[in-house]
Amino acid sequence: GTGFKAPSLYQLYSEYGDVNLQPEKSTGWGAGIEQSLAGEKMTLGVSYFSNDFENMVDFNSATYTYANVANAETRGVEAFVNAQATERLAFRASYTYTDTEDNATGLDLLRRANHKFGFNANYRFLAGGNINFGLTHIGKRADTDYSSYPYARVQLDDYILANLAASYTFNKTFEIFGRIDNLFDRDYEEVRGYGTPGAAAYGGLKLLF
């Protein structure tokens, strides 16, 4: 497959922008295999992916503006297992290994973790109830610290996020739902020096006519 991504207005026209930025272009491919086991109560899968980027837009700490990376590449492997433990209880576990490189510098691309794990459990209860619990682990990844000069390349800590969601469908018309993101109120950084939301709860009603 091929891809195209135009620079954002911020990347073009902000004080850190460059009106001469070229659009990103990418070419990628992937291949994988899945196998059902235990009477299709379990599914295993593994796949390999490869992507090549031209003119990738990234922040240049030397010029303090957005710039086109000459070219970059990502390679990796994804694996997962789905298991239907009982009629009502299902599990999914996944792992992704990603290797990235800025071909101009030989360094890893910023904010791309080598390792990512995921776990999800889903349980259906009563006639219309559903509860879902998910864990995501994001591994260490490189970033740039702009809090002092000269700017230093640093490593962001890994973190684990937990999310909980539940819903109950009373009939074809009425459903109640809610969720809690970052269940354990974990402090973490996706970008060096920028905060992220703490625990947050959401809920609502859904009416279908």
Side-chain angles (χ1 to χ4, degrees):
T2 59
F4 171 93
K5 181 181 178 183
S8 70
L9 294 177
Y10 186 83
Q11 292 169 337
L12 288 168
Y13 302 115
S14 72
E15 59 181 311
Y16 308 108
D18 182 350
V19 296
N20 296 311
L21 285 176
Q22 299 298 308
E24 295 180 1
K25 295 181 179 180
S26 65
T27 303
W29 66 274
I33 186 171
E34 294 184 8
Q35 176 64 52
S36 297
L37 302 171
E40 299 189 351
K41 291 184 178 179
M42 178 179 292
T43 303
L44 305 177
V46 62
S47 61
Y48 175 84
F49 62 88
S50 174
N51 298 285
D52 291 293
F53 300 90
E54 296 181 6
N55 294 325
M56 177 177 255
V57 178
D58 208 343
F59 195 78
N60 187 331
S61 59
T63 62
Y64 218 59
T65 61
Y66 286 95
N68 289 110
V69 176
N71 54 75
E73 60 185 54
T74 63
R75 307 280 188 270
V77 177
E78 295 179 325
F80 75 89
V81 55
N82 290 335
Q84 191 70 42
T86 68
E87 183 179 351
R88 294 180 177 271
L89 180 62
F91 298 99
R92 177 181 175 88
S94 61
Y95 167 73
T96 303
Y97 171 77
T98 305
D99 180 42
T100 68
E101 183 178 353
D102 177 344
N103 291 335
T105 64
L107 298 173
D108 291 341
L109 296 176
L110 298 179
R111 303 169 194 144
R112 275 82 164 182
N114 290 127
H115 305 283
K116 181 179 179 180
F117 298 89
F119 174 79
N120 186 275
N122 195 85
Y123 180 70
R124 294 183 292 110
F125 61 93
L126 301 178
N130 192 81
I131 186 167
N132 185 278
F133 176 74
L135 287 174
T136 302
H137 174 268
I138 305 297
K140 297 178 184 295
R141 57 247 178 260
D143 204 351
T144 303
D145 186 354
Y146 296 105
S147 62
S148 60
Y149 190 83
Y151 310 124
R153 189 177 176 94
V154 297
Q155 191 175 66
L156 298 179
D157 291 334
D158 59 342
Y159 62 90
I160 298 175
L161 291 182
N163 300 311
L164 181 67
S167 65
Y168 193 88
T169 302
F170 292 90
N171 49 50
K172 294 181 180 180
T173 304
F174 182 55
E175 177 184 338
I176 185 171
F177 61 88
R179 78 176 195 271
I180 302 175
D181 294 341
N182 194 2
L183 179 64
F184 302 119
D185 198 25
R186 179 66 186 271
D187 291 328
Y188 65 100
E189 286 182 314
E190 293 181 334
V191 179
R192 180 72 169 187
Y194 286 79
T196 49
Y202 307 86
L205 304 174
K206 182 185 291 184
L207 297 176
L208 301 176
F209 298 96

